[in-house]
Amino acid sequence: MGGTSPCAGRPACSVCGEAAVFHMRDRRTHLCSTHLVADIRERVAATIESRRMITPGDRIAVALSGGKDSTALLLLLHGLYGTGPVDLVAVTVDEGIGGYREATIRSAENLARRLGIRQVSVSFPDLFGRSLDMLLRGRETRACSICGILRKKALVLAAERAGATKLATGHNLDDEAQSVLMNVFRGDLQRLARDPGADSGGRFIPRIKPLTYVSEREIAAFLLVQGIWEDLPECPYAVHALRREVRSMLAAIEYQRPGTMLCLMENKKKIETAYRERVGSVALGSCRECGDPCSGGLCQFCRLRRVLGL
Ligand SMILES: [Zn+2]
Ligand SMILES: [Zn+2]
């Protein structure tokens, strides 16, 4: 909100009055680089706290693809917990996507090394016998859903290898708000109403998403102001995804009406609560083949395994 800073006629940081580098459109505030980083860090700490995502003694497997979100996540968690009371391990999955994954894998390895964080890497050929490129031949239009299911399984296996008690992923506000809309479009009320913080009863490694309330734009700025920005290629399969259309639509609405994505997340929370009160908590069963949590019979991975002949 502040006035104009003496330097370069730029808006002033609402906290300290220095030249601002970022406009938080939904909160109508301007922030300098120091206060942007501090603001994001505080919000992530508050999200972790409010959902009791992390407890002392945890070993957190941080899904590190090497892309922007996971890079920011590892940096933030390292900033918050680098000296305890939890142990951080980076877990990286190489899906085998020619011409795209090599650069991001390298970026992931460099970051883990620079922060002194142990890294556990797995690959689709190791785990499933073939690379994603080979598995997708003739199935390119379903690339993101197939890859999503396999990658989720691979991350859990890597987290188990790392001896982790939690698996943290870099899903940001845009991803989560897109998922809310996509579940609405698909009419999937059960998935829409699922409480991500629900107790797993110790049957599987709980997944946590500490960046749920940090937008893609904020993550990009967070990396830029710290000089950690790397221009990496986009996944070649993303063109086929419904998510891509939802993403551009939601980004346009958010630009016109800042705060729309947060509003969607608030509504998801209300739906979770209402659903829980009416139907009881959305209890997950176990897959009859692999024992993983699922809503009934076979899990998505085991169903896909049959289709792909894994
Ligand atoms: Zn400031
Ligand atoms: Zn299964």
Side-chain angles (χ1 to χ4, degrees):
M1 243 165 283
T4 302
S5 98
C7 19
R10 274 200 282 173
C13 172
S14 308
V15 181
C16 70
E18 290 293 313
V21 295
F22 192 80
H23 182 196
M24 265 182 192
R25 302 180 75 245
D26 53 346
R27 282 164 31 197
R28 296 184 188 173
T29 50
H30 292 273
L31 294 174
C32 70
S33 52
T34 307
H35 287 109
L36 172 68
V37 171
D39 185 277
I40 291 174
R41 202 171 156 174
E42 277 163 29
R43 264 188 294 146
V44 169
T47 303
I48 291 171
E49 181 71 23
S50 72
R51 295 234 171 191
R52 288 195 197 85
M53 288 177 176
I54 293 176
T55 44
D58 265 336
R59 175 174 291 169
I60 312 292
V62 185
L64 179 67
S65 69
K68 290 191 283 291
D69 299 327
S70 66
T71 296
L73 177 64
L74 190 63
L75 283 165
L76 282 156
L77 292 181
H78 182 256
L80 292 167
Y81 301 106
T83 54
V86 304
D87 188 18
L88 299 175
V89 185
V91 291
T92 301
V93 177
D94 184 353
E95 301 88 354
I97 305 175
Y100 158 66
R101 234 17 208 115
E102 297 84 352
T104 41
I105 295 268
R106 225 175 7 254
S107 162
E109 286 167 354
N110 290 340
L111 181 68
R113 197 177 314 119
R114 186 161 67 75
L115 298 177
I117 290 175
R118 180 162 75 92
Q119 189 182 25
V120 172
S121 297
V122 293
S123 75
F124 276 17
D126 285 352
L127 298 173
F128 310 127
R130 276 170 282 167
S131 69
L132 186 68
D133 285 338
M134 289 167 76
L135 287 166
L136 285 181
R137 253 168 232 161
R139 301 184 177 95
E140 287 81 1
T141 52
R142 294 186 54 217
C144 292
S145 67
I146 292 175
C147 178
I149 293 166
L150 296 178
R151 198 177 47 220
K152 204 186 277 181
K153 183 72 177 180
L155 279 172
V156 169
L157 293 171
E160 283 171 0
R161 280 188 195 173
T165 54
K166 305 268 168 66
L167 170 61
T169 60
H171 293 88
N172 61 38
L173 176 61
D174 298 55
D175 298 325
E176 294 302 291
Q178 287 156 17
S179 294
V180 171
L181 271 189
M182 287 166 71
N183 286 327
V184 170
F185 292 158
R186 291 181 180 133
D188 194 341
L189 178 62
Q190 208 185 44
R191 190 171 281 195
L192 181 64
R194 196 178 289 162
D195 175 4
D199 186 12
S200 66
R203 286 178 303 143
F204 57 93
I205 300 176
R207 280 220 302 175
I208 58 171
K209 298 174 182 176
L211 303 185
T212 298
Y213 294 101
V214 184
S215 71
E216 196 175 296
R217 185 172 158 260
E218 289 166 341
I219 288 169
F222 173 85
L223 295 175
L224 268 173
V225 300
Q226 295 179 92
I228 312 166
W229 179 266
E230 242 186 291
D231 202 9
L232 294 166
E234 200 193 346
C235 177
Y237 294 113
V239 290
H240 302 293
L242 163 68
R243 186 174 285 276
R244 193 181 170 95
E245 290 159 47
V246 172
R247 178 186 175 188
S248 60
M249 181 186 78
L250 194 53
I253 301 174
E254 175 71 31
Y255 185 77
Q256 292 295 333
R257 298 165 198 274
T260 296
M261 291 194 297
L262 279 173
C263 203
L264 272 172
M265 295 306 290
E266 276 310 303
N267 278 321
K268 177 182 157 55
K269 248 193 247 168
K270 286 180 197 159
I271 293 168
E272 266 171 40
T273 311
Y275 195 86
R276 209 166 33 238
E277 281 165 6
R278 233 183 128 96
V279 189
S281 65
V282 189
L284 282 174
S286 317
C287 169
R288 66 166 186 266
E289 272 186 16
C290 73
D292 276 5
C294 74
S295 42
L298 280 179
C299 73
Q300 283 183 311
F301 172 72
C302 287
R303 265 181 280 159
L304 181 63
R305 189 158 61 175
R306 292 184 174 188
V307 175
L308 299 178
L310 298 179

